Amino acid sequence: MLWGLVAVELFMSFSFLGYLHIEPISITFVYIPVLVAACIFGPKEGALLGAVFGLASMWKASAFYVGIGDMVFSPVMSGKPVESIMLSVGTRALFGLLTGFFYKLAQKNRHPLAGIVLVTSVGRTLHAFLVYGYMGAVFPETGFGVANTLDDTLRWDFIPFLLIVNAVVCFC
């Protein structure tokens, strides 16, 4: 099942299902398999899926068709290779690790399903917080920072997509 999630992760990463390329920075849905792996298996597997997400993101950001804002995810195009690897892979692996720990805590709770829904509900925001926070600290020239996390929660698709992701994770 874990390798099936890795396959889903890679499929989403390299198909139209994973990213919307809208300037200045692409929007991603590829964090969903990371949440599923973290919920079902735990922190290590969540971190593994997060790392796969990050490696695929780094690969895509090194292509010439991405937006100018996405280039910071590429160690080839950013001018800061180590920082780009940490942004692409490090923040995504940390996201999987943290959500895995949060899911483990939720499952030990008196109402595990409510805890799982709560962790899933903050998953997108946690991912945005980690990525935007690191971008603001290491790539301030992009104009992105922790404050952009709030922008993500105010998007028109936040609540509908939140409900869909909760349904997917709970189903799995």
Side-chain angles (χ1 to χ4, degrees), residues 17-81:
L17 295 173
Y19 292 88
L20 290 177
H21 297 290
I22 300 171
E23 294 294 332
I25 190 168
S26 295
I27 300 167
T28 184
F29 310 108
V30 187
Y31 66 91
I32 298 170
V34 179
L35 288 175
V36 172
C39 182
I40 293 173
F41 298 110
K44 289 186 295 189
E45 293 83 355
L48 171 70
L49 259 286
V52 170
F53 170 19
L55 288 167
S57 168
M58 190 171 60
W59 179 271
K60 283 188 68 119
S62 297
F64 290 102
Y65 62 84
V66 298
I68 191 78
D70 293 327
M71 291 182 183
V72 296
F73 292 89
S74 168
V76 177
M77 296 182 170
S78 70
K80 298 179 181 178

Side-chain angles (χ1 to χ4, degrees), residues 19 59 71 75 79 95 116 128 132 142 158 166 169:
Y19 292 88
W59 179 271
M71 291 182 183
F95 167 66
I116 289 170
Y132 287 142
T142 64
F158 185 78
N166 272 306
V169 171

Side-chain angles (χ1 to χ4, degrees), residues 103 106-107 109-121 166 170:
Y103 279 126
Q107 291 165 354
N109 192 347
R110 189 170 163 192
H111 303 286
L113 186 59
I116 289 170
V117 168
L118 177 64
V119 174
T120 304
S121 295
N166 272 306
C170 288

